[in-house]
Amino acid sequence: MKHLKIDNLHVSIGDREILRGLSLDLPTGQVHAIMGPNGSGKSTLAKVIAGHPDYTVTSGDVLFDGESILEMEPDVRARKGIFLAFQYPSEIPGVTIANFLRAALQARLPEGEELEATEYYAKLYEKMDLLEMPRTFTSRPVNEGFSGGEKKRCEILQMAMLQPTFALLDETDSGLDIDALKIVSHGVNSLRGPDTGMLVITHYQRLLDYIVPDVVHVMVNGRIVESGTKELALKLEAEGYDWANEPEAEAVGA
Amino acid sequence: MNMATAPVSGVPLIEGALVEGHWPEWFVASRQRGWEDFQKLPAPAAKDEKWRFSNVRALSLDAFRYPGAVADAAALTARSTGLGESAARFVFGNNRLLSATAPAADLVAAGLVIMTLEEAATKHADLVQKHFMAQEAKLGSAKYAALHRSGPINGVFIRVPKNLEVAQPIEIFHWVEGESSAVFPHTLVVCERHSKATVVDCFRSADGAPAFACGVNDLVVEEGAKLNYVAVQQWSPSSVAFHLNSTIVGRDASCLGMQVNLGGKFVRNENYSRMVSEGARSDMLSVNIASDEQMIDQRTFQDHAKPNATSDLLYQNALTGKGRTVFSGVIRVEPGAHKTDAYQKVRNIVLSDDAEANSMPGLEIEADDVRCTHGATTAQIDDRELFYLEARGIRPDAARQLLVMGFFNTVLDRLPDARLRGHIEGLVEARLTSALRS
């Protein structure tokens, strides 16, 4: 079992502090959900773990199986096994999904070794079938002109191909209708297993009906304020976040 | 008919060329006029609008000379690897024919003519005389067009007869070898009514020596015909090159021309396309990489003479190091050329602080009811896109390369032939790899 450990993490963008001492331990084999109101810092957490350059870690640490990853470049973290499914995936004009994923897999091979094309396409088609994506998708430029649902499916396809140790799913349910939500959830669930840990970030309980978490954390104002079983999500759904708001806390941007 | 004319003796640039080959009287007379014009026309000046942003100091030709034969013709022929399979393949080295693979017998029987321009100047004198440099070089390089005309040329004449479709591309290689060698490649293509062909010119240096190339191509696409023409320029990084193109597109005919500039130190590219009849279509495309201290200077002219014609220009440049590009383009719609649909776009991606992209799009419209759009954009690599790729484990260098190739793919995707596209993409990618490392 491996652990992704977030230890008393403080993060700022400019002079604004967004994460204010956040701690969390995600082992492989589990799915943790983070729920919280808009602006609580959920997306920031995901982006900081992935190494987004806009954020400054002022104190605390992020440990991948005991090793700090904060000094590592984003591509190094990704090859180590961190995967971020973006809330707003970038459009990459002119780069097809097939070429993009091939480059990502190629980057994981030892120098001088070439990706085997037949195996690659067999695996790609298998994962696309799982996500009910037509084969023509492979020759479309990444995310360009995709609907919201197609973008999210494309994120999960990448996750399925790259088989990360820890996956961070940032608002993967946003912009999805119920059919797309089911397909995406099915894809995510098929990737659950003893060697993968997932952090599912969501604003709504709805996603957790389909991706059932082992642990639910409630995040408010840059901190985890409560953790519990999946029933906690139902409580949030029924009662909102007001009970969890600390009286002295001020609103914080996303 | 094998005559050298007096005024050119003592001119190293072309001396020697003129005693070679067997050219007909009409060509010798045209050559004489070319030489006179070359001497008469002034050298480009920095203040000349047609040379704005260019580097006229790069144009000293004193050091260049007409070269001797290449050392090893067989070796250069062997290095002329391109598409693998082609309808015909001609290989030239230092202006001399090294090898020729003739088209299949059925194509020849159907009337396809592919031969050296020298042979065609006699055997197909009427066609060659009619179309050889028939358009005046209007975009600034008249002096160099005159130099080309003065005679040291070699190259290919292609006539695709009425209704014939040539499925495989026709490949032409021009090699230059040796210190300060000068070459003068010429490609003349006549696609007769409702014919179809693809022609690929490959310009390559056998070594890293500085060379001078002064090339011209004339493309004539008659009614209902379709021509794809690709020129891949890979001269050595210390070379000076002119490539002047003229395209004439007839009724309901279409020409797709693509210039790929990967080599050279100073490269001047002039692309003139004239829609002479209704329903004509010209796609003018270009992919350029300027690195180190390279300059790629491109001037274009979309000339709409008749109504209901279309021209669509897309030029894309990637710049790194101290690379510089110039794009100056004009869409001209002549009086009466109503319902013209003309599009002109240049896109630059700048990968270093010292690179410089200059874009000067322009319109001259003298007709009503036309649709003309033009635009130029210059951007850097998008940080969000870069992060997205890195977040998938792709190393920053590879991510940049992938993004720039993606940028170029929007042009390369316009090539109608998948094999040709793959071949060109491979050459562009290899060049980009070295440009991003330098």
Side-chain angles (χ1 to χ4, degrees):
Chain A
M1 190 189 289
K2 290 180 176 165
H3 287 263
L4 182 67
K5 206 160 177 244
I6 296 147
D7 184 20
N8 193 27
L9 194 65
H10 289 256
V11 172
S12 299
I13 185 161
D15 53 7
R16 199 152 51 97
E17 186 169 56
I18 298 174
L19 300 186
R20 309 170 174 206
L22 187 140
S23 297
L24 189 113
D25 182 1
L26 173 67
T28 49
Q30 288 193 5
V31 172
H32 288 207
I34 292 191
M35 300 187 68
N38 286 332
S40 57
K42 304 187 299 292
S43 282
T44 296
L45 174 63
K47 285 194 252 183
V48 165
I49 296 171
H52 196 287
D54 285 356
Y55 300 93
T56 311
V57 174
T58 51
S59 68
D61 213 340
V62 177
L63 304 160
F64 186 112
D65 219 25
E67 182 188 8
S68 176
I69 60 169
L70 288 180
E71 294 300 314
M72 295 177 187
E73 294 300 322
D75 59 304
V76 179
R77 300 185 197 196
R79 290 196 301 276
K80 236 179 143 41
I82 301 276
F83 180 89
L84 168 61
F86 285 75
Q87 181 179 7
Y88 302 111
S90 289
E91 298 187 1
I92 313 291
V95 179
T96 63
I97 289 185
N99 279 348
F100 173 62
L101 275 169
R102 196 164 54 202
L105 287 168
Q106 182 68 49
R108 286 159 171 79
L109 296 179
E111 199 158 343
E113 207 174 298
E114 280 292 321
L115 196 67
E116 212 287 301
T118 320
E119 285 171 32
Y120 164 65
Y121 274 99
K123 185 174 170 186
L124 181 60
Y125 290 152
E126 179 202 323
K127 303 299 182 192
M128 289 176 76
D129 289 347
L130 174 76
L131 290 157
E132 299 180 27
M133 296 170 86
R135 300 273 159 95
T136 51
F137 251 79
T138 54
S139 54
R140 287 179 62 181
V142 177
N143 296 323
E144 204 178 39
F146 284 20
S147 69
E150 286 172 336
K151 281 185 182 172
K152 296 303 170 75
R153 257 190 265 188
C154 185
E155 293 295 291
I156 304 307
L157 174 69
Q158 295 170 39
M159 176 174 148
M161 290 296 285
L162 300 176
Q163 295 174 303
T165 309
F166 295 105
L168 320 163
L169 281 70
D170 189 7
E171 306 264 5
T172 293
D173 51 332
S174 70
L176 295 187
D177 61 30
I178 194 74
D179 292 330
L181 182 66
K182 282 178 184 169
I183 295 167
V184 165
S185 304
H186 174 63
V188 171
N189 285 329
S190 71
L191 299 171
R192 291 176 83 151
D195 299 325
T196 307
M198 293 189 195
L199 194 63
V200 178
I201 292 168
T202 183
H203 187 71
Y204 298 105
Q205 191 271 337
R206 180 180 78 149
L207 178 68
L208 305 181
D209 288 340
Y210 298 96
I211 304 171
V212 181
D214 299 294
V215 180
V216 173
H217 305 281
V218 181
M219 184 167 172
V220 177
N221 289 331
R223 275 187 210 114
I224 305 284
V225 294
E226 188 162 343
S227 300
T229 61
K230 62 178 193 275
E231 280 71 31
L232 182 56
L234 297 169
K235 179 180 166 191
L236 287 171
E237 179 80 353
E239 300 175 20
Y241 291 104
D242 285 348
W243 61 271
N245 271 318
E246 295 157 293
E248 78 277 17
E250 63 204 82
V252 176
Chain B
M1 288 198 279
N2 182 3
M3 53 177 77
T5 43
V8 293
S9 64
V11 181
L13 194 58
I14 57 174
E15 191 176 23
L18 306 185
V19 296
E20 286 180 1
H22 299 275
W23 297 89
E25 298 286 355
W26 75 263
F27 188 87
V28 173
S30 148
R31 172 191 267 181
Q32 179 69 31
R33 282 197 307 279
W35 179 248
E36 287 162 9
D37 287 347
F38 176 64
Q39 289 179 303
K40 208 163 52 196
L41 289 164
K47 62 180 191 325
D48 185 344
E49 182 60 26
K50 287 170 178 170
W51 289 86
R52 198 171 162 210
F53 295 119
S54 192
N55 179 12
V56 295
R57 282 166 305 169
L59 295 177
S60 167
L61 306 180
D62 296 344
F64 298 109
R65 56 175 177 73
Y66 191 78
V70 299
D72 189 341
L76 282 186
T77 296
R79 282 170 67 188
S80 301
T81 50
L83 294 160
E85 221 179 308
S86 47
R89 173 192 293 213
F90 277 65
V91 181
F92 295 86
N94 283 4
N95 250 28
R96 295 159 182 94
L97 181 68
L98 304 184
S99 70
T101 311
D106 59 324
L107 290 172
V108 175
L112 178 65
V113 174
I114 308 178
M115 57 177 59
T116 63
L117 202 64
E118 181 192 334
E119 193 181 349
T122 300
K123 288 188 178 165
H124 296 273
D126 49 342
L127 269 183
V128 177
Q129 198 169 354
K130 183 175 173 195
H131 297 299
F132 178 77
M133 301 190 76
Q135 302 296 319
E136 185 194 338
K138 297 184 180 114
L139 306 184
S141 289
K143 186 178 178 69
Y144 302 94
L147 173 64
H148 185 90
R149 184 189 277 278
S150 76
I153 64 166
N154 213 335
V156 171
F157 167 75
I158 299 168
R159 167 186 173 251
V160 190
K162 201 166 84 175
N163 297 327
L164 182 70
E165 293 191 7
V166 183
Q168 299 279 7
I170 296 160
E171 282 183 296
I172 305 156
F173 291 85
H174 283 277
W175 292 90
V176 64
E177 182 182 283
E179 189 76 19
S180 302
S181 296
V183 291
F184 300 82
H186 195 108
T187 301
L188 169 52
V189 184
V190 180
C191 274
E192 293 182 353
R193 294 170 63 171
H194 302 287
S195 67
K196 225 171 157 175
T198 298
V199 177
V200 184
D201 262 331
C202 303
F203 303 111
R204 297 185 183 177
S205 286
D207 48 40
F212 173 64
C214 182
V216 171
N217 64 74
D218 297 308
L219 311 177
V220 180
V221 194
E222 294 182 354
E223 182 176 335
K226 259 192 159 80
L227 173 65
N228 302 310
Y229 173 80
V230 181
V232 188
Q233 180 275 112
Q234 296 179 283
W235 302 123
S236 80
S238 50
S239 296
V240 173
F242 284 84
H243 288 277
L244 313 176
N245 157 267
S246 149
T247 301
I248 303 296
V249 195
R251 178 178 295 268
D252 299 325
S254 68
C255 183
L256 180 146
M258 182 183 284
Q259 311 289 328
V260 181
N261 284 302
L262 306 178
K265 183 177 173 69
F266 174 88
V267 179
R268 172 88 172 192
N269 213 184
E270 296 182 5
N271 290 304
Y272 171 79
S273 200
R274 180 167 166 90
M275 277 49 72
V276 294
S277 203
E278 293 200 40
R281 178 184 176 96
S282 181
D283 289 275
M284 301 167 74
L285 307 170
S286 190
V287 164
N288 305 294
I289 298 174
S291 73
D292 303 285
E293 297 192 346
Q294 260 183 300
M295 157 155 268
I296 299 171
D297 175 2
Q298 295 182 300
R299 315 279 158 155
T300 68
F301 203 105
Q302 294 157 262
D303 194 357
H304 285 263
K306 286 285 180 312
N308 288 309
T310 304
S311 64
D312 188 350
L313 179 147
L314 178 61
Y315 275 39
Q316 294 198 173
N317 305 314
L319 299 95
T320 181
K322 291 182 179 169
R324 288 173 65 198
T325 59
V326 180
F327 172 84
S328 172
V330 172
I331 297 173
R332 178 173 148 77
V333 182
E334 295 182 9
H338 308 301
K339 307 272 185 195
T340 285
D341 192 351
Y343 183 80
Q344 181 195 82
K345 175 116 189 168
V346 56
R347 298 173 67 208
N348 303 301
I349 188 160
V350 177
L351 305 166
S352 69
D353 293 339
D354 294 330
E356 183 186 310
N358 303 285
S359 309
M360 296 174 283
L363 298 174
E364 292 172 14
I365 300 175
E366 296 183 48
D368 308 317
D369 191 18
V370 299
R371 206 172 70 110
C372 294
T373 50
H374 68 171
T377 61
T378 298
Q380 296 172 323
I381 281 184
D382 185 310
D383 285 342
R384 284 162 305 179
E385 293 176 18
L386 192 61
F387 177 66
Y388 187 74
L389 267 58
E390 289 175 5
R392 297 301 176 245
I394 301 169
R395 290 176 179 81
D397 285 354
R400 271 190 204 94
Q401 167 127 358
L402 203 57
L403 291 171
V404 178
M405 280 312 293
F407 167 79
F408 282 139
N409 279 339
T410 51
V411 186
L412 296 174
D413 282 345
R414 300 266 294 268
L415 284 170
D417 178 303
R419 196 161 50 96
L420 177 59
R421 184 207 188 290
H423 174 63
I424 305 294
E425 185 181 2
L427 297 175
V428 171
E429 189 158 16
R431 173 69 186 100
L432 183 61
T433 305
S434 69
L436 290 174
R437 277 185 197 149
S438 66

